[in-house]
Amino acid sequence: MVITVKFFASVREAVGASSESMALPAGVATVGALRQHLAARGEQWQQALSHPALRMACNQVMCDADTAIADGAEVAFFPPVTGG
């Protein structure tokens, strides 16, 4: 399965990319598992994706870690929205 992963705001700045297309690794079937897989890439990835209030979306719909990922999905990670 091939998916698109998008990174926004401080997450994008920390990982140095706004998006990437990737083949979903075996055993990675949910948004939470993808988050863990990406965090294992190294320290900057771990820091960017470990924030407890990190927001996640699948196909432009807010989701939780248990959301299943289908072929062709778009998964996005971004920090909590702040106002002011």
Side-chain angles (χ1 to χ4, degrees):
M1 292 195 302
V2 177
I3 64 166
T4 300
V5 184
K6 293 189 173 186
F7 309 102
F8 292 93
S10 62
V11 177
R12 176 186 64 231
E13 293 167 11
V15 303
S18 60
S19 69
E20 70 176 90
S21 180
M22 66 181 290
L24 206 58
V28 176
T30 64
V31 173
L34 175 62
R35 180 181 178 180
Q36 291 176 339
H37 172 77
L38 294 172
R41 288 181 169 178
E43 183 66 27
Q44 68 189 33
W45 289 86
Q46 174 66 34
Q47 288 180 356
L49 298 171
S50 66
H51 192 285
L54 183 78
R55 307 284 294 189
M56 301 173 285
C58 186
N59 296 324
Q60 300 181 357
V61 176
M62 298 305 297
C63 67
D64 61 24
D66 295 329
T67 301
I69 302 173
D71 189 31
E74 176 189 280
V75 178
F77 296 99
F78 47 95
V81 176
T82 60

